[in-house]
Amino acid sequence: MNLFLRIFYCCILLLGAYCGAEDSLSDGLTREVIEESLQTTGKSLKKEVEILKSYAPQIHSLSIDDQIWLYHRLSRRYYQLSLFKLALESSRKAMMILEESGLKDSDQYLSVLIENAFAHYAVYQDSRECALLQEAYKLAQHHNQKVHLARSLYGLARCRLNEDDYAHAVRDLEQAYTMIEKLDHPEIKAEVLAEISLLFYKLHAYRESLRYEEEALQIYQQHQVQDRELISRYNLIKTYIQLHEIVLAKKHWRILKEKADLSEDKTWPFFIELLAQLIAREAHNPEKVLRHVKQAEANLAEVEERRQVAIHYLNHLYACVMLEIQDCTESLISGPIVQHANKLSMYPAYHKVMARYYERKQKWHLVIQHLRDLNLIYETRLDESTTQSAIAMAMAFHAKLQKLTKTPEVERPLPMISPQPAQDAEKVEAKLQAIYSILLAVISILIFGLIVIYYAVRHHPHVAMRDELTHVCSRRYTMSEGKKRFENGQPFCLLVIDLDGFKNINQTHGHDVGDLVLKHVVKLMQHALREKDLLGRVGSEEFAIFLEGTMIDVAESISNRLCRLIHSSPFHYQGKEIQLSASIGLIDKHTYQKRFSDMLHEAEIALRTAKERGGNKVMVFQPEMSQLEEC
């Protein structure tokens, strides 16, 4: 019994010692300890997040200030990694601790509130962000915190831009820029410049947008703010695409791709491919768009920004419609395009692609509907009471910024879209009918012209002198030239060449491969012949060669060389080797021959003899061959 009591007391003592050790460990956890652990991560955001998450279970052992600091830092790192939902969750936890501790009126609450608003916008893109930023703005005014005041102002400006409230957006950005110019805070200044760039982008003043985005990018590069630099360069490329400056867009895309490969943000591979899709679409290259769409598919799950996913599906639809891939088009329209219809309906490209699709399906009422929606988008953009007045305000704002920065501005007109009268559905329909009538007339004229050209080519010997497939002399030209040379009285030799087993090549590999084989053989013969020699195609796989001023023994030597060359040069296709050989019939001009057709006939007799003897041979015509042929 005493033994059991002793064991029991030992267990109690060990348990007490363990709990005491745990308490002492918890008591030792402070912000300084965590920061010391973070120093081992270098610049890796991912590792920093892992360390911060590992301390989250022990959060209650930290002081209130340190708990808020931990969740706030975790929120900012999640945001930098584009993990917006996790960023929002962490910022909410920080806000709850602040509210429970009665610290709603503190500087910490103000900073967390702004981070929460930005994360909320990234996830939901709704008006809740504006309400949070309004609260932050009032709190910043109360505490006279100019940095937070500037941040809340440019955040509010972004809200205004999303609601097309350009007047208030200009006002907020002007206040933010004026405030930040007086402070030594370059990163916040760059963020304000980025929002100014967005203002001009929304007003379709892309040159001015480019100017401010480039200035923001320069600041991010100088201060090595990598995540913001990538976003800034992304916006820059989108602006270049709008300006149709594809070369510059591609240049910045390559730089962005190199830098994004080093980023720990898993969403960048998708955005890189999305930009490549937009560049290819602007260059009217649907095949390339489709290739980048397929490369982006693997990264779709990582993206929380659903509007960009909608654009990805729009690019996919464009490629399928332009390439007339029916299955792909139907599955997209009945699936992702329907799901993202609300987001896509604001883009002109969506209505253009859908109108093209329904035009091919001959569903004219749907064509008209999408053209109406497209016209409505342009009318909204061209409304003088909104856009034009906003452009005027933006230009005045731009002039003020130049005075603030005291830098001379080069005279450069702001691109504007001149207003056009609104068009109702009946006018659109009437115009469509007129366009279709004109197109029908043009197509009829083109068809008639093509028929005339076809007959002219067919019956004109000089135009039709080349074989369409191999680009050597055609049969008609070869026969005509043979008659002329025969009648001139000059000595020459004639070779008639036929590929052995060519029918089997067509049957085994297909006629397309057969055509490639013919081109391959023609190239071999052209390299072996002299410039003055004439090569023509006189049959499916039959060729004729005129060796002018050549004796029969020299011609036989040339023929044997051709035979060996063709046999030793197999054709390679898709990893397969196709063995080739040729039979050649040879004859020289004799006095007893009355016509060129007699000479050609005797050369063909020699050719048939070569084939009968197993092929891959040269046979010189002998008179007895003609007697055997008759037998």
Side-chain angles (χ1 to χ4, degrees):
M1 188 69 179
N2 288 336
L3 180 64
F4 284 118
L5 283 170
R6 285 177 184 176
I7 292 168
F8 178 70
Y9 288 140
C10 286
C11 288
I12 289 172
L13 286 169
L14 286 169
L15 184 62
Y18 174 77
C19 291
E22 192 179 44
D23 287 341
S24 66
L25 284 170
S26 296
D27 291 341
L29 182 63
T30 61
R31 176 174 168 176
E32 287 74 22
V33 172
I34 298 172
E35 284 181 333
E36 194 176 332
S37 301
L38 293 175
Q39 287 175 3
T40 61
T41 63
K43 290 186 178 180
S44 173
L45 295 175
K46 206 170 180 181
K47 287 180 182 176
E48 186 173 333
V49 164
E50 290 300 321
I51 289 172
L52 290 169
K53 278 170 66 180
S54 70
Y55 285 113
Q58 305 173 49
I59 192 81
H60 296 295
S61 62
L62 290 167
S63 67
I64 296 297
D65 285 347
D66 290 352
Q67 287 179 35
I68 296 160
W69 169 84
L70 178 65
Y71 280 127
H72 187 198
R73 183 155 182 162
L74 197 55
S75 172
R76 289 173 66 185
R77 295 300 175 258
Y78 277 137
Y79 192 90
Q80 287 174 300
L81 290 168
S82 298
L83 300 168
F84 302 122
K85 286 181 181 176
L86 292 171
L88 182 61
E89 186 184 333
S90 297
S91 64
R92 279 177 178 168
K93 285 178 180 177
M95 283 180 71
M96 281 174 62
I97 296 169
L98 283 159
E99 287 168 2
E100 288 169 3
S101 306
L103 298 171
K104 278 191 75 172
D105 200 34
S106 64
D107 290 347
Q108 279 179 311
Y109 183 79
L110 176 58
S111 181
V112 173
L113 183 62
I114 293 171
E115 296 295 338
N116 182 259
F118 290 162
H120 185 92
Y121 174 77
V123 176
Y124 298 111
Q125 295 181 356
D126 58 17
S127 57
R128 170 73 177 149
E129 183 201 19
C130 295
L132 292 168
L133 287 168
Q134 284 281 11
E135 187 184 345
Y137 175 71
K138 288 174 184 176
L139 198 58
Q141 272 187 320
H142 177 68
H143 288 278
N144 197 26
Q145 286 282 349
K146 291 187 178 178
V147 171
H148 291 317
L149 201 58
R151 289 192 77 200
S152 57
L153 276 168
Y154 79 70
L156 279 169
R158 182 169 58 190
C159 289
R160 315 289 192 202
L161 287 175
N162 288 327
E163 294 167 0
D164 294 332
D165 184 358
Y166 300 113
H168 285 97
V170 168
R171 183 200 65 189
D172 292 338
L173 284 172
E174 187 176 344
Q175 286 183 41
Y177 193 87
T178 307
M179 198 172 294
I180 211 68
E181 267 294 300
K182 297 172 185 175
L183 300 171
D184 184 21
H185 212 301
E187 288 180 33
I188 303 294
K189 181 181 177 180
E191 289 176 15
V192 174
L193 288 167
E195 292 302 324
I196 294 169
S197 172
L198 178 62
L199 166 69
F200 283 107
Y201 186 91
K202 282 233 169 193
L203 293 170
H204 314 292
Y206 300 118
R207 289 286 171 199
E208 302 309 320
S209 174
L210 200 64
R211 174 197 172 92
Y212 290 107
E213 197 64 64
E214 283 173 344
E215 198 175 337
L217 177 62
Q218 193 175 3
I219 293 170
Y220 291 135
Q221 285 177 315
Q222 284 173 357
H223 294 83
Q224 297 182 342
V225 188
Q226 189 184 8
D227 57 313
R228 297 301 302 173
E229 182 191 338
L230 294 177
I231 293 167
S232 187
R233 202 175 287 279
Y234 174 83
N235 293 332
L236 208 63
I237 294 166
K238 281 175 64 181
T239 311
Y240 277 126
I241 291 168
Q242 291 293 344
L243 288 166
H244 312 293
E245 295 183 4
I246 302 302
V247 175
L248 284 170
K250 285 180 179 177
K251 177 187 171 184
H252 281 276
W253 181 85
R254 283 191 287 269
I255 297 168
L256 178 64
K257 190 175 186 301
E258 286 175 12
K259 289 180 176 288
D261 286 344
L262 304 173
S263 173
E264 294 174 282
D265 186 345
K266 291 182 181 179
T267 60
W268 273 115
F270 170 80
F271 286 110
I272 293 295
E273 295 304 329
L274 181 67
L275 283 174
Q277 293 168 26
L278 292 170
I279 291 169
R281 198 178 84 188
E282 188 62 33
H284 307 293
N285 190 339
E287 291 92 351
K288 210 167 188 178
V289 172
L290 194 60
R291 189 166 74 244
H292 287 294
V293 162
K294 288 177 180 176
Q295 288 171 354
E297 291 287 343
N299 308 105
L300 271 173
E302 303 290 342
V303 185
E304 290 185 20
E305 222 289 55
R306 305 322 291 170
R307 186 179 295 179
Q308 302 304 327
V309 172
I311 295 170
H312 161 79
Y313 285 123
L314 173 58
N315 293 335
H316 195 178
L317 180 66
Y318 160 81
C320 292
V321 169
M322 296 304 290
L323 296 171
E324 298 186 36
I325 307 173
Q326 193 67 25
D327 295 342
C328 165
T329 306
E330 298 293 346
S331 63
L332 279 169
I333 288 175
S334 61
I337 298 298
V338 172
Q339 293 170 15
H340 296 280
N342 290 335
K343 292 184 180 75
L344 291 173
S345 60
M346 67 182 71
Y347 295 108
Y350 166 70
H351 297 291
K352 288 177 184 176
V353 171
M354 292 302 289
R356 174 71 67 88
Y357 168 70
Y358 286 123
E359 183 185 357
R360 286 181 182 162
K361 301 280 280 187
Q362 296 188 344
K363 294 184 178 180
W364 305 114
H365 65 290
L366 291 172
V367 172
I368 292 167
Q369 182 183 324
H370 278 285
L371 289 176
R372 280 177 187 165
D373 293 338
L374 179 63
N375 189 57
L376 189 62
I377 291 170
Y378 286 128
E379 280 180 0
T380 306
R381 286 183 179 179
L382 301 171
D383 183 5
E384 285 191 72
S385 63
T386 55
T387 307
Q388 296 302 319
S389 61
I391 286 176
M393 281 189 293
M395 280 304 292
F397 173 41
H398 175 61
K400 282 184 183 179
L401 295 186
Q402 299 314 307
K403 287 178 184 175
L404 281 169
T405 53
K406 297 178 181 178
T407 54
E409 171 66 358
V410 179
E411 285 292 325
R412 187 165 51 190
L414 179 69
M416 294 187 192
I417 310 168
S418 46
Q420 298 172 353
Q423 297 174 331
D424 56 17
E426 291 177 5
K427 287 182 180 178
V428 173
E429 194 168 0
K431 280 190 175 182
L432 274 175
Q433 288 175 355
I435 289 166
Y436 292 141
S437 302
I438 293 165
L439 282 173
L440 189 61
V442 169
I443 289 165
S444 302
I445 293 165
L446 282 172
I447 290 169
F448 178 74
L450 287 169
I451 292 167
V452 171
I453 291 166
Y454 172 76
Y455 278 102
V457 169
R458 189 79 183 269
H459 295 91
H460 199 292
H462 296 291
V463 177
M465 65 182 292
R466 292 287 169 188
D467 176 60
E468 189 178 347
L469 176 66
T470 59
H471 303 297
V472 296
C473 297
S474 65
R475 177 181 172 78
R476 179 181 295 177
Y477 183 81
T478 305
M479 299 304 285
S480 173
E481 192 66 21
K483 287 176 186 176
K484 285 180 187 175
R485 295 190 181 201
F486 187 86
E487 290 165 5
N488 283 342
Q490 295 295 325
F492 70 92
C493 288
L494 173 65
L495 283 71
V496 180
I497 303 168
D498 191 89
L499 294 181
D500 300 328
F502 186 73
K503 188 176 179 182
N504 291 334
I505 292 172
N506 276 337
Q507 287 174 347
T508 307
H509 303 283
H511 288 276
D512 290 341
V513 176
D515 290 346
L516 293 172
V517 168
L518 289 176
K519 289 179 181 179
H520 171 70
V521 171
V522 164
K523 281 183 183 176
L524 293 173
M525 291 192 289
Q526 285 173 331
H527 285 305
L529 296 173
R530 301 166 299 183
E531 285 186 14
K532 66 178 182 178
D533 299 332
L534 186 141
L535 170 64
R537 186 184 177 197
V538 293
S540 173
E541 68 272 19
E542 192 172 308
F543 298 89
I545 298 174
F546 295 94
L547 302 177
E548 193 173 347
T550 306
M551 303 304 291
I552 190 69
D553 54 342
V554 176
E556 187 175 4
S557 175
I558 293 169
S559 300
N560 280 311
R561 190 168 74 240
L562 281 174
C563 222
R564 287 194 300 273
L565 179 63
I566 293 167
H567 187 64
S568 62
S569 306
F571 179 69
H572 297 275
Y573 179 75
Q574 292 184 348
K576 296 176 183 176
E577 186 177 277
I578 301 174
Q579 195 64 46
L580 304 173
S581 66
S583 300
I584 301 177
L586 171 64
I587 191 168
D588 61 344
K589 185 183 173 186
H590 291 286
T591 53
Y592 67 82
Q593 295 161 343
K594 304 296 182 186
R595 297 182 301 275
F596 172 70
S597 58
D598 296 337
M599 186 179 183
L600 180 62
H601 176 66
E602 289 173 350
E604 285 176 340
I605 290 172
L607 172 66
R608 282 194 290 275
T609 306
K611 280 191 166 292
E612 285 167 5
R613 295 186 183 182
N616 195 27
K617 283 185 173 59
V618 177
M619 295 300 297
V620 180
F621 176 77
Q622 303 295 335
E624 56 266 24
M625 289 181 185
S626 184
Q627 293 169 6
L628 288 168
E629 183 82 8
E630 288 172 5
C631 294

